[in-house]
Amino acid sequence: MAILKLHKYGSPVLREKAMQVAKVDNEIRELVENMIETMYAEGGVGLAAPQVGVSKKVIVIDTEEKGIIVLINPVIIKREGESKEEEGCLSVPGVYSPVRRSYSITVEALDLDENKIRITQEGFLAIALQHEIDHLEGYLFIDRLSPAKRLMIKDKLKEIE
Ligand code: NI
């Protein structure tokens, strides 16, 4: 296992649309192991592959109740309700802001055994999933802030870049 280099705001890979994973092979399994180790080393609760420079649809989330969730090619198939909670991101260090999200979501994905799985989550885990799935589309949480709020963090973003 290895700790991977974390890509931060300004790195082009964070703005790419990640590729579908065609096959869950050893390369993907190794990527997932390294992503988990990197997430722990950086003190994050979730990580998407583009954040370690790999433009593939893979996310990991650390949950207290269910351990680590690994999702390959995740797709949100249902959304319900609204929430607005403070978020941060390892790729945008030092910036925290409330973000509007769905309160509850259902996601379809593959697991590490290439089985199709469907999970429904609400609250904190639903927010974490939406945040990480956004990374796979090339979005960062700061893209979802109001223009006024974005103006407030402009200088901080310049510092990171
Ligand atoms: Ni993030």
Side-chain angles (χ1 to χ4, degrees), residues 46 48 51 88-92 131-132 135 140-141:
Q51 292 182 277
C89 179
L90 291 176
S91 295
V92 194
H131 178 116
E132 300 311 332
H135 275 297
L140 300 171
F141 80 101

Side-chain angles (χ1 to χ4, degrees), residues 4-57:
L4 305 171
K5 182 187 166 240
L6 199 65
H7 285 244
K8 302 211 171 131
Y9 178 79
S11 174
V13 69
L14 293 175
R15 293 315 198 171
E16 285 171 24
K17 207 170 144 70
M19 299 245 297
Q20 286 277 120
V21 172
K23 186 151 185 41
V24 182
D25 55 14
N26 283 339
E27 191 188 326
I28 293 296
R29 279 187 279 269
E30 194 185 330
L31 169 67
V32 166
E33 278 186 17
N34 291 338
M35 282 173 63
I36 291 168
E37 186 154 344
T38 305
M39 174 174 71
Y40 282 141
E42 299 284 348
V45 293
L47 202 64
Q51 292 182 277
V52 292
V54 178
S55 195
K56 288 183 181 165
K57 291 192 171 174

Side-chain angles (χ1 to χ4, degrees), residues 1 35 55 105 113 149:
M1 293 213 278
M35 282 173 63
S55 195
I105 60 165
D113 297 317
K149 184 75 201 178

Side-chain angles (χ1 to χ4, degrees), residues 4-157:
L4 305 171
K5 182 187 166 240
L6 199 65
H7 285 244
K8 302 211 171 131
Y9 178 79
S11 174
V13 69
L14 293 175
R15 293 315 198 171
E16 285 171 24
K17 207 170 144 70
M19 299 245 297
Q20 286 277 120
V21 172
K23 186 151 185 41
V24 182
D25 55 14
N26 283 339
E27 191 188 326
I28 293 296
R29 279 187 279 269
E30 194 185 330
L31 169 67
V32 166
E33 278 186 17
N34 291 338
M35 282 173 63
I36 291 168
E37 186 154 344
T38 305
M39 174 174 71
Y40 282 141
E42 299 284 348
V45 293
L47 202 64
Q51 292 182 277
V52 292
V54 178
S55 195
K56 288 183 181 165
K57 291 192 171 174
V58 178
I59 63 172
V60 299
I61 291 177
D62 186 21
T63 78
E64 266 173 33
E65 319 116 46
K66 296 181 182 173
I68 293 169
I69 299 178
V70 177
L71 298 178
I72 319 270
N73 301 337
V75 179
I76 297 172
I77 57 164
K78 192 176 167 197
R79 298 175 174 273
E80 264 175 32
E82 271 181 43
S83 74
K84 198 176 181 189
E85 298 288 340
E86 186 159 277
E87 292 183 29
C89 179
L90 291 176
S91 295
V92 194
V95 177
Y96 300 91
S97 189
V99 183
R100 243 178 239 289
R101 303 275 189 193
S102 302
Y103 177 72
S104 154
I105 60 165
T106 300
V107 176
E108 268 184 3
L110 297 177
D111 67 12
L112 276 178
D113 297 317
E114 226 168 48
N115 295 316
K116 198 167 186 175
I117 54 169
R118 182 181 289 193
I119 56 169
T120 298
Q121 296 289 348
E122 58 178 44
F124 174 75
L125 270 180
I127 290 167
L129 281 167
Q130 290 168 83
H131 178 116
E132 300 311 332
I133 291 171
D134 260 3
H135 275 297
L136 304 180
E137 298 298 320
Y139 290 117
L140 300 171
F141 80 101
I142 50 172
D143 303 331
R144 297 192 178 277
L145 306 181
S146 68
K149 184 75 201 178
R150 287 207 64 172
L151 206 62
M152 283 167 63
I153 61 168
K154 216 176 106 201
D155 291 345
K156 257 191 177 156
L157 292 179

Side-chain angles (χ1 to χ4, degrees), residues 3 44 147:
I3 293 170

